[in-house]
Each structure stands twice: as structure tokens, then as C-alpha cells.
């Protein structure tokens, strides 16, 4: 098993080597570059499959240290790293195959394929980290590799604008992560991640490590584009579409991975949990509202990612780490597909009815009652109650609101009785799938990810507050389309359409002039 842990280095090494070679091949349809990228991504996916099988059969393992004094390169294979490497390998393989056609004929297709491979190699290196040194190196390398992809069309002002903001926020995040790493080494006397999390879960946590938890939370918020630092993510449209899909292969969601990896330490720091819950929840609400005001499919998808990353961080802040891990996988697969399928989504949107009748109050009450009943019943069957898993009850209630919105949208476009019956069946299916996946994630990740602690008074208050806020957000989403022409609603619509003007403020703070627009 130790030999396999060391052999896991083959995955990032193969990807990076193929990327460096392909990066030197220019001209349209560079056959060798396409072949190298295809076989490197296929090899990485195969190695990921072997890692999953090995971890399932033999359990977690940490490779011998390549370094000294507890610091250096080290592989950690467990349920979390196996899950993330498999996710990265699969999404990366799909993106590279898609890019072979998408970039066909571009004079710089070789460097593009090479950049994809290098970025995937850096992400894989990060996800396999068993030591703080490797974690920092992988974290920084992933950011720098992505920076080059954001600048693939360097002549475009929008691409330079997004890349510069991303670069500045990323460097602040790097400093924050390095600070956290130094504090953890000072507190625990080692850089081995498994030893650090074990010590944090079994004994009193030193003050320095508690400060480290705060810096880890800050790092995760910056990496996952939490509001108001999301501007770069919503402006990556100047890059080729595969880059937007690649973001979901362990890059933009690496913040969630970081928090889950150090969940035992984060649990010991209540302020860090509050910070994640507050900023994550606020980001989720704002992102979901801004998303519905966008007219561009890709920009709307980007704001959806902002909202989903915020929800992931909220889950971490409430202590539902296994739910956050499941969210990473589900959202990555869905959103990567959505970006790669953006053209078809546009065609589908054009074919939909342009005007939809607003739902009636009676229809809204019926849909809400059905959603609450179905989710509450399903949760009770799976043992999810306020006494056993309050965080999941809160997240389940938010799921109710999402289901209600979907049901109302469907019910407003057809026969009320028939459509409500069909959407009730759909809601039941989604509820069962949701709690089944939650149970599966907990079963698979329990040895690696800690169970959530009993919430304190502040966390309980945050749960109630966000239930109310998400309910208001859902109400706005339901009512806004039919009331957008009213003065008050129109003012709010304009503010949301512009992302509450946070991006303009970011431009000033980082010294980037606002892009020129035509009158």
C-alpha cells in the first residue's frame, strides 16, 4: 500500500510532462499534442480508479516522507483524496476530449491542451497532499497554471481584467495558507496532515492552531470566490469554454476540500465556523438572486457557481462536512456538463415559452405543503431530525424551498392538478436521492471526515437566520419575473444585474480600470 501511495505521484507527473511537451507544439490540429493530452488524461483517470479501489480495500495510508523534520513531499490516500482525485481525473478527461474538437483549427491548440494537462497535474498533486509543504506547493501551482489559462487570449481586455483580479486574490490566499501552515507546524511540530488532524481531534488544540484555522477559513473563502471577491469568476467568459468547465475539477471548489481536509481543526475554532457560515450563506443567497437577472448563459452559470460555492462553505460552517463533500462532487459534475453544453442550453432557452403565468397563492401553498411533507417524511425515514442532525435538517429545509420554486414554475405552465401530481413525484424522487446520497457520503467518509458537533447557541441562531433569508430569496425568485416592471422591483433588478456593484469596487481596490462600454 505504501508503494501504491508513492506510485500515485505518476498521475501528476504524467500530466505535467505531457503538458510541457504539448505546450511547444503550435499550428492547427497538432496531432502529437492531442495524442499526448488524451493518453495522459486517460492514464490519470486509470490511476485514480486504482487509488479508489486500493483505499476501499486497504483503508487510508500516508506515504513515507520525502524531506526532513516532518516537512516535505508526502502522499495521503484516504476516502477524501480518492474521491477528489477520481473527480478531477474524470472531469479532466472529459474536458480534454471536448477541447480536441472545440479548439480544432486554432493555431494555439497545442499550448491550450498543454495548459489543460499542466493545470490538471497541479490539481492532482494538490489533492494527493499528505504534508503541508506539498499542500502549499500544489495550491500555488494550481493557481499559477489557471492564471495562464485565463490569459490564453491575452489580447482581450476582459481576459486581462479577470486574470489580474484572480491573481491578486490568489496571492492573498497563498499568504494566508502559508501563514496557516507555519502556525500548524509551530503548534504540532510536524507538517504531516494526518498527524495534525489526529492531534486536533483527540486533544486540546494549541492557540496557534486555532489562529491557523481562521487563516484556513480565509484561504477557502478567497479560493471559492466568496462575495465580494467573486468578480474574477464571473468575468472568465473571455477564456475558451473548456476552462470554465475545468474550474470545477477541484480548482474553484478547492476551498471546500481544504476545509474538509482540516475539518477536525476547524471544528475546534468556533469563530472560523461562524465566518464560513456567515460569508458562505451570504454568498449563496446573493449569487442565487444575481443569477436570475443575467441574460448571458455563461455569466448566469458563473453566478450559479458563486452561489453553489457559497452554499458549500455554509455547509462547512454548519459542520455538515460530508454534505459539503457530496456537494463538491454533484455540483462539479453538473456544472462542468452545463458549461460544455452551454450552446445547447441557449437553444433550449429559445424554444421555451417567452411568457409564463405567475403562480397563484393557492398553488404556492399547495406546492410548499407538498415539498415540506415529502422532504420531512424522507428525512425522518433516514433518521435526520433536529435531535440527531440539526445541520442536515436546516439544509433539507433549504432544499424544500428549492423544490417549491421548481414545482411552482412547472405548475404555472400546465394543468394544476396534473402538473402538481407529476412534480410531487419528482420532488419525492429528489428527496429520496438527496438523503440516500447523504447517507452514502457519510458511510464512505466517516473514517476521514468528522461527524458534526452539537451546534452551539450562535450556530443555532445562524441556522434560523439563514432559513428565513433563503425563504425570502426563494419568494423573490418566484415573484420577480411577473413584477420586474414595477419601480421598486426594477431598482432591485438593476442592482442585482450588476452584482450589487461589488465588482466595480473590486476594480478600484486592485487598481484595475473599469472596462470601457459603449453608450
Amino acid at each position: 500500500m505504501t508503494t501504491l501511495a508513492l506510485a500515485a505521484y505518476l498521475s501528476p507527473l504524467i500530466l505535467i510532462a505531457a503538458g510541457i511537451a504539448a505546450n511547444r507544439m503550435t499550428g492547427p490540429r497538432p496531432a502529437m499534442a492531442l495524442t499526448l493530452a488524451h493518453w495522459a488524461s486517460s492514464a490519470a483517470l486509470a490511476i485514480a480508479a486504482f487509488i479508489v479501489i486500493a483505499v476501499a480495500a486497504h483503508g487510508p495510508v500516508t506515504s513515507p516522507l520525502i524531506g526532513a523534520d516532518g516537512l516535505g513531499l508526502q502522499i495521503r490516500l484516504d476516502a477524501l483524496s480518492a474521491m477528489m482525485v477520481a473527480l478531477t481525473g474524470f472531469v479532466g478527461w472529459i474536458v480534454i476530449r471536448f477541447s480536441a474538437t472545440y479548439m480544432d483549427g486554432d493555431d494555439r491548440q497545442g499550448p491550450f491542451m498543454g495548459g489543460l494537462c499542466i493545470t490538471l497535474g497541479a490539481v492532482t498533486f494538490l489533492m494527493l497532499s499528505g504534508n503541508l509543504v506539498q499542500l502549499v506547493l500544489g495550491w500555488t501551482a494550481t493557481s499559477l497554471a489557471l492564471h495562464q489559462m485565463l490569459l490564453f487570449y491575452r489580447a482581450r481586455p476582459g481576459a486581462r481584467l479577470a486574470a489580474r483580479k484572480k491573481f491578486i486574490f490568489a496571492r492573498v490566499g497563498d499568504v494566508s495558507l502559508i501563514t496557516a501552515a507555519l502556525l500548524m507546524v509551530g503548534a504540532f511540530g510536524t507538517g504531516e496532515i494526518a498527524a495534525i488532524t489526529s492531534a486536533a481531534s483527540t486533544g486540546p488544540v494549541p492557540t496557534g492552531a486555532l489562529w491557523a484555522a481562521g487563516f484556513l477559513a480565509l484561504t477557502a473563502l478567497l479560493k471559492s470566490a466568496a462575495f465580494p471577491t467573486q468578480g474574477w469568476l464571473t468575468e472568465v467568459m473571455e477564456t475558451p469554454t473548456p476552462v470554465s468547465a475545468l474550474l470545477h475539477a477541484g480548482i474553484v471548489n478547492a476551498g471546500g476540500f481544504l476545509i474538509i481536509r482540516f475539518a477536525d481543526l476547524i471544528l475546534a475554532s468556533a469563530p472560523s465556523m461562524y465566518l464560513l457560515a456567515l460569508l458562505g450563506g451570504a454568498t449563496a443567497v446573493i449569487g442565487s438572486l444575481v443569477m436570475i437577472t443575467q441574460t448571458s448563459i455563461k455569466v448566469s452559470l458563473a453566478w450559479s457557481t458563486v452561489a453553489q460555492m457559497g452554499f458549500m462553505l455554509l455547509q462547512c460552517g454548519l459542520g455538515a462536512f460530508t454534505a459539503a463533500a457530496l456537494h463538491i462532487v454533484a455540483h462539479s459534475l453538473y456544472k462542468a456538463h452545463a458549461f460544455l453544453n452551454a450552446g445547447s442550453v441557449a437553444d433550449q432557452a429559445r424554444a421555451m415559452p417567452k411568457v409564463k403565468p405567475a403562480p397563484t397563492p393557492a398553488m404556492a401553498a399547495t406546492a410548499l405543503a407538498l415539498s415540506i411533507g415529502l422532504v420531512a417524511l424522507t428525512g425522518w425515514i433516514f433518521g435526520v431530525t433536529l435531535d440527531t442532525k440539526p445541520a442536515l435538517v436546516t439544509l433539507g429545509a433549504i432544499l424544500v424551498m428549492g423544490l417549491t420554486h421548481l414545482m411552482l414554475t412547472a405548475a404555472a405552465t400546465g394543468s394544476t392538478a396534473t402538473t402538481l401530481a407529476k412534480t410531487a413525484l419528482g420532488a419525492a424522487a429528489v428527496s429520496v436521492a438527496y438523503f440516500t446520497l447523504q447517507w452514502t457520503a457519510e458511510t464512505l467518509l466517516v473514517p476521514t471526515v468528522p461527524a458534526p458537533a452539537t451546534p452551539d447557541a450562535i450556530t443555532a441562531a445562524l441556522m434560523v437566520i439563514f432559513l428565513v433569508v433563503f425563504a425570502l430569496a426563494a419568494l423573490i425568485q418566484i415573484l420577480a419575473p411577473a413584477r420586474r416592471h414595477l419601480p421598486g422591483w426594477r431598482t432591485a433588478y438593476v442592482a442585482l444585474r450588476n452584482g450589487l456593484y461589488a465588482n466595480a469596487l473590486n476594480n478600484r481596490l486592485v487598481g484595475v480600470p473599469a472596462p470601457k462600454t459603449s453608450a
Side-chain angles (χ1 to χ4, degrees), residues 304-317:
S304 172
T305 294
V306 171
Q308 294 293 336
M309 291 301 96
F311 191 71
M312 172 193 69
L313 295 172
L314 171 63
Q315 290 172 312
C316 292

Side-chain angles (χ1 to χ4, degrees), residues 219-289:
T219 304
L221 288 164
L222 289 168
K223 174 65 77 173
S224 297
F227 190 85
T229 68
Q230 83 299 326
W232 69 269
L233 180 58
T234 58
E235 292 178 346
V236 297
M237 302 306 107
E238 295 295 331
T239 62
T241 294
V243 177
S244 298
L246 185 70
L247 281 172
H248 299 84
I251 300 177
V252 71
N253 42 28
F257 165 76
L258 181 71
I259 297 301
I260 297 168
R261 173 57 79 198
F262 291 96
D264 292 289
L265 179 57
I266 298 295
L267 277 173
S269 172
S272 300
M273 299 284 286
Y274 303 153
L275 179 65
L276 289 168
L278 280 170
L279 293 185
T283 299
V285 172
I286 293 171
S288 65
L289 292 176

Side-chain angles (χ1 to χ4, degrees), residues 149-238:
M149 298 305 294
L150 294 180
L151 286 174
F152 184 74
Y153 293 132
R154 192 178 295 267
R156 297 181 178 180
R160 296 197 303 271
L161 177 68
R164 182 171 180 181
K165 282 191 284 192
K166 172 65 172 67
F167 186 85
I168 293 174
F169 288 132
R171 298 295 73 77
V172 175
D174 292 345
V175 172
S176 179
L177 180 60
I178 292 171
T179 303
L182 292 174
L183 288 170
M184 283 187 281
V185 171
F188 297 105
T190 181
E192 185 178 327
I193 294 174
I196 291 172
T197 55
S198 177
S201 65
T202 58
V205 177
T207 302
L210 295 177
W211 279 99
F215 282 105
L216 288 173
L218 175 60
T219 304
L221 288 164
L222 289 168
K223 174 65 77 173
S224 297
F227 190 85
T229 68
Q230 83 299 326
W232 69 269
L233 180 58
T234 58
E235 292 178 346
V236 297
M237 302 306 107
E238 295 295 331

Side-chain angles (χ1 to χ4, degrees), residues 10-22 32-48 89 92-93 96 113-114 116-118 120-121 124:
L10 286 174
S11 182
L13 288 175
I14 290 172
L15 285 166
I16 292 173
I20 292 173
M32 183 56 69
L34 297 177
T35 300
L36 285 173
H38 170 73
W39 285 108
S41 62
S42 298
L45 181 59
I47 293 172
W93 181 74
I96 283 178
M113 303 300 286
L116 290 180
C117 288
I118 291 172
L120 285 170
T124 305

Side-chain angles (χ1 to χ4, degrees), residues 41 63 154-155 240 300 319 356 373 381 404 420 440 499:
S41 62
S63 73
R154 192 178 295 267
S300 179
K356 298 179 181 180
I381 292 173
T404 302
L420 280 177
T440 303

Side-chain angles (χ1 to χ4, degrees), residues 98-118:
F98 180 88
S99 300
T101 301
Y102 184 88
M103 298 296 292
D104 185 47
D106 193 296
D107 287 338
R108 298 183 62 230
Q109 186 176 19
F112 183 80
M113 303 300 286
L116 290 180
C117 288
I118 291 172

